[in-house]
Amino acid sequence: MKKNGEPIRRELLEMNMLDNSARIISEGEHLYLPLTEEPQESQLMNLAGEFELTEHDFEEQKGQLKLEDLLEDVPHFEVIGDIALIEDDVFEPEKVANAIMKVKINVKTVLAALGPVEGEFRTRRFKAIAGEDRTSTIHKEYGCKYYIDLERAYFTPRLATERSRILAQVKAGQTVADMFAGVGPYSIMIARKNPDIRVIAMDKNPDAVEFLRRNIELNSVTNVEAIEGDANQEVEKFPDVADHVIMNLPHNANEFLDAAMKLCAQGAIIHYYDITPEDDLFDSSLKLIEEAASKAGREIELIDARVVRSYAPHQLNVCIEVRVI
C-alpha cells in the first residue's frame, strides 16, 4: 500500500536493495519499488508495513549520473556506511574517488587501502582520497546499525546475505555462540530477532569488543553477552550450552575446532567458515571438523556445504554446517 511506501523505501535503501537506477511507480493505492535482487524471507521480516512481492516493468531514471559516464573502467569498490573503499592498486585513485562522490550521494568519504588485511586482528590501513578524513562510520544492515572504525576492526558488507541466512535458522529459546564476533554483525542481528535468544559474543580484539558493546546499546538489545578474550580460553566458561556456534574466522577457524566442540549442546549446529582452493572446496575442512569431533567423543552429521563468495583467484570462501551429536 502507498501509505507504507516511504518507511519501506528507507528500509530497503539501508539494506542496499533499492534499485536507484529505476523509477518508483505510483499507481492508484499502490507504490511499486524496484529491487536489486529478490529478498530472502529473513530480509522481509525487517520491513514494517503491508507489502507483497510482484513482477513489474520499471523505467530507467532519466538523467541519473552513472560511474560509467565518468570512468572508462569502473573498479571494484564497496560502501560501508557513508565510506567507500577502493583497493590500493586502483589506477588514478583521485579521479575514481571524485566520481564515486558525485554518483553516490550518500558517500562522504572515499578511502584507499594502503595494503592487505593483516595481523592477528585482520585490520587494514587506509588513506583518505576524497571527502572527510576519517575511518569511522555507522553502517546499516537489515535494520541494524553498527559503529565501525575500519582501521581498528574488520568488517565486510559482502557477508550480509550470509548473516541473514544464519539468522533464519535460529529459533527462540536457543543459545548462539559467536566465537569471533567482531563489531557484532551476526550477534546483534540474531539477538534482535527474539529477546528469548541468548547470544554469547567473543572477540580477542579489544577495539572490536569496544565497538560491539557500543553497538549493543545502539541497537537496544539486552540479550548479547560481549566478552573480550581468546575463544580457546573463554569457551571453558560455557560448556555444552550452544545450539549454534558461528566460526567466521577464515584462514584460522581450524585452530578453534576443539574449543567449538566444548560449546556444543547435543544436536548443536556449527557454522564453519574457511578459505579453500577450488580443487578442494570442502573435503579437507570437513575432515578437520570430524577429527575435532572424534577427539571430543562426538560425532557429526553434515547439513550443508556451500560456496559463500569468491575470495581470490582459485580460492573461495566456503561455509560448512554440521550437526554435533
Side-chain angles (χ1 to χ4, degrees), residues 75-145:
H76 168 78
F77 69 95
E78 61 185 28
V79 177
I80 300 177
D82 59 359
I83 295 177
L85 304 180
I86 61 177
E87 295 300 319
D88 54 351
D89 58 353
V90 168
F91 180 65
E92 296 184 319
E94 290 81 7
K95 180 179 179 180
V96 171
N98 289 328
I100 291 173
M101 293 279 289
K102 287 181 180 179
V103 173
K104 303 292 184 180
I105 60 174
N106 293 327
V107 169
K108 306 301 181 187
T109 298
V110 179
L111 300 178
L114 294 177
V117 174
E118 59 187 3
E120 183 179 14
F121 300 147
R122 301 181 66 225
T123 54
R124 302 182 82 175
R125 293 179 299 111
F126 297 96
K127 177 184 178 181
I129 302 297
E132 301 169 11
D133 186 5
R134 58 180 166 85
T135 56
S136 61
T137 186
I138 292 180
H139 181 75
K140 298 177 182 179
E141 181 179 293
Y142 296 140
C144 299
K145 298 178 182 178

Side-chain angles (χ1 to χ4, degrees), residues 259-324:
M261 292 298 166
K262 295 178 182 179
L263 286 167
C264 289
Q266 186 73 13
I269 297 175
I270 292 179
H271 309 271
Y272 178 87
Y273 293 87
D274 203 351
I275 303 296
T276 59
E278 61 185 7
D279 59 353
D280 183 14
L281 286 176
F282 309 116
D283 290 347
S284 294
S285 297
L286 186 58
K287 184 177 179 181
L288 292 173
I289 300 172
E290 289 173 339
E291 290 173 352
S294 178
K295 191 187 303 184
R298 314 287 289 268
E299 295 181 357
I300 62 168
E301 173 184 294
L302 179 63
I303 297 174
D304 191 20
R306 59 193 302 275
V307 173
V308 176
R309 57 173 176 147
S310 175
Y311 179 77
H314 310 296
Q315 288 191 312
L316 297 161
N317 186 186
V318 302
C319 178
I320 299 173
E321 293 174 322
V322 300
R323 189 181 308 280
V324 178

Side-chain angles (χ1 to χ4, degrees), residues 2 10 20 45 51 81 129 131 137 159 161 182 206 214 280 287:
K2 189 179 292 186
R10 288 197 302 266
N20 286 319
M45 290 166 49
F51 64 89
I129 302 297
T137 186
L159 292 178
T161 301
R214 178 169 176 169
D280 183 14
K287 184 177 179 181

Side-chain angles (χ1 to χ4, degrees), residues 15-302:
M15 294 160 60
N16 293 318
M17 295 193 67
L18 187 68
D19 186 355
N20 286 319
S21 68
R23 291 179 56 195
I24 295 174
I25 296 175
S26 176
E27 292 182 355
E29 294 298 316
H30 298 283
L31 200 66
Y32 294 91
L33 304 174
L35 304 181
T36 57
E37 59 183 300
E38 183 175 350
Q40 299 181 7
E41 182 178 350
S42 55
Q43 295 170 312
L44 297 176
M45 290 166 49
N46 294 296
L47 298 180
E50 184 181 347
F51 64 89
E52 64 178 88
L53 294 178
T54 185
E55 293 187 2
H56 204 284
D57 292 327
F58 292 92
E59 296 180 4
E60 185 176 345
Q61 288 271 30
K62 293 182 179 179
Q64 181 169 339
L65 194 63
K66 298 180 180 179
L67 284 172
E68 290 82 358
D69 299 328
L70 302 174
L71 301 171
E72 292 183 10
D73 183 21
V74 178
H76 168 78
F77 69 95
E78 61 185 28
V79 177
I80 300 177
D82 59 359
I83 295 177
L85 304 180
I86 61 177
E87 295 300 319
D88 54 351
D89 58 353
V90 168
F91 180 65
E92 296 184 319
E94 290 81 7
K95 180 179 179 180
V96 171
N98 289 328
I100 291 173
M101 293 279 289
K102 287 181 180 179
V103 173
K104 303 292 184 180
I105 60 174
N106 293 327
V107 169
K108 306 301 181 187
T109 298
V110 179
L111 300 178
L114 294 177
V117 174
E118 59 187 3
E120 183 179 14
F121 300 147
R122 301 181 66 225
T123 54
R124 302 182 82 175
R125 293 179 299 111
F126 297 96
K127 177 184 178 181
I129 302 297
E132 301 169 11
D133 186 5
R134 58 180 166 85
T135 56
S136 61
T137 186
I138 292 180
H139 181 75
K140 298 177 182 179
E141 181 179 293
Y142 296 140
C144 299
K145 298 178 182 178
Y146 305 106
Y147 174 84
I148 307 158
D149 187 321
L150 298 168
E151 284 197 329
R152 296 169 61 192
Y154 178 80
F155 180 87
T156 176
R158 286 177 285 177
L159 292 178
T161 301
E162 182 65 16
R163 291 190 272 267
S164 176
R165 190 183 68 84
I166 302 299
L167 172 70
Q169 300 182 39
V170 181
K171 300 176 182 178
Q174 291 188 325
T175 296
V176 177
D178 190 355
M179 295 181 69
F180 319 106
V183 302
Y186 280 93
S187 294
I188 289 171
M189 181 184 291
I190 290 170
R192 286 184 78 246
K193 179 177 181 179
N194 194 300
D196 292 329
I197 295 172
R198 178 191 183 192
V199 181
I200 303 166
M202 312 172 188
D203 205 281
K204 194 175 182 180
N205 179 352
D207 289 332
V209 177
E210 175 190 333
F211 303 149
L212 169 61
R213 291 177 174 142
R214 178 169 176 169
N215 292 332
I216 289 170
E217 294 184 6
L218 190 61
N219 291 277
S220 301
V221 292
T222 59
N223 49 335
V224 179
E225 301 168 49
I227 300 168
E228 180 186 336
D230 189 317
N232 274 328
Q233 280 82 52
E234 297 300 328
V235 297
E236 302 294 343
K237 303 172 185 176
F238 307 99
D240 307 319
V241 301
D243 300 292
H244 292 267
V245 177
I246 301 172
M247 303 187 68
N248 183 28
L249 189 68
H251 299 296
N252 301 100
N254 62 296
E255 299 172 9
F256 297 84
L257 278 167
D258 292 343
M261 292 298 166
K262 295 178 182 179
L263 286 167
C264 289
Q266 186 73 13
I269 297 175
I270 292 179
H271 309 271
Y272 178 87
Y273 293 87
D274 203 351
I275 303 296
T276 59
E278 61 185 7
D279 59 353
D280 183 14
L281 286 176
F282 309 116
D283 290 347
S284 294
S285 297
L286 186 58
K287 184 177 179 181
L288 292 173
I289 300 172
E290 289 173 339
E291 290 173 352
S294 178
K295 191 187 303 184
R298 314 287 289 268
E299 295 181 357
I300 62 168
E301 173 184 294
L302 179 63

